[in-house]
Amino acid sequence: SAFNQLLKAEIQGGLLLSTITEFDFGAGPLAITAGLLGTLLPQFAYLDPSEALQFMVRPALAPIFTGDPGASGELATLLISHLEFSVVPVSEPSVVLLGGVVDVTLGVDVGFDGDGLSFDVETPDPSNIDVILIENPLYVDPSTLDLFLPSLVGLAVPTLTDSLGSFPLLHSLVPFPCVRPLLLA
């Protein structure tokens, strides 16, 4: 569809490319450090607890709207496949401490905010998140990751989808009055 082509162009322009340095676990934002991750994944406890870490996220494929409604009644389903992630020290971003890819299925409501299309993305259910570990130099236990990473991805998805922002429609249509507005099915 035309909208999926627009998403592809936006991905090529940097959409969903993100660096996450803090998470809000419900008590306010916390900086991601080796000490914080060490409480969840013991192998990170071997690092200096004050070591600042960051999650680097990069889409390898453009997300697609399937045309199906979301699992909880949202207007649409968005598939984000092969979203690459890595946990790296802020001081040495070329050193990957943990890396892999994520596939996630999200329910999305689409609205119009006056300037264009806006997106309200629901927090994904852990059963709709698949994580494949590719780099694991700290030998983090994969079974622990199976429990931890879907929750972490669930926390990160709102941050990632904030980058969707809104797509302006009216400004691009004004100079071309013969073009009909994009309608979502």
Side-chain angles (χ1 to χ4, degrees):
S1 75
F3 197 71
N4 284 333
Q5 291 174 7
L6 178 61
L7 277 174
K8 179 182 177 190
E10 292 290 329
I11 288 296
Q12 291 170 340
L15 182 73
L16 295 182
L17 187 63
S18 188
T19 301
I20 301 168
T21 58
E22 59 184 27
F23 279 116
D24 187 346
F25 292 100
L30 294 172
I32 300 171
T33 63
L36 176 65
L37 288 184
T39 62
L40 304 167
L41 302 168
Q43 290 76 7
F44 279 89
Y46 292 104
L47 302 173
D48 176 359
S50 65
E51 176 85 42
L53 303 176
Q54 60 191 357
F55 282 80
M56 308 290 290
V57 180
R58 184 178 75 84
L61 300 171
I64 61 168
F65 280 96
T66 66
D68 296 329
S72 299
E74 298 86 6
L75 179 64
T77 296
L78 179 66
L79 299 177
I80 302 176
S81 297
H82 211 81
L83 188 63
E84 298 174 354
F85 74 90
S86 57
V87 179
V88 300
V90 170
S91 62
E92 294 184 74
S94 63
V95 176
V96 176
L97 301 173
L98 190 65
V101 295
V102 175
D103 294 337
V104 62
T105 303
L106 301 165
V108 180
D109 280 319
V110 181
F112 186 73
D113 68 2
D115 293 325
L117 294 177
S118 61
F119 302 93
D120 181 24
V121 179
E122 298 300 316
T123 301
D125 184 282
S127 66
N128 291 332
I129 301 170
D130 293 315
V131 179
I132 299 171
L133 193 58
I134 295 175
E135 295 182 70
N136 190 4
L138 296 177
Y139 300 103
V140 174
D141 178 24
S143 62
T144 304
L145 284 174
D146 287 343
L147 297 172
F148 169 70
L149 281 178
S151 299
L152 188 58
V153 170
L155 290 171
V157 163
T159 302
L160 294 173
T161 55
D162 284 346
S163 67
L164 285 172
S166 67
F167 286 103
L169 294 177
L170 298 178
H171 299 292
S172 62
L173 297 176
V174 171
F176 307 102
C178 62
V179 177
R180 285 184 268 171
L182 174 68
L183 298 176
L184 293 176

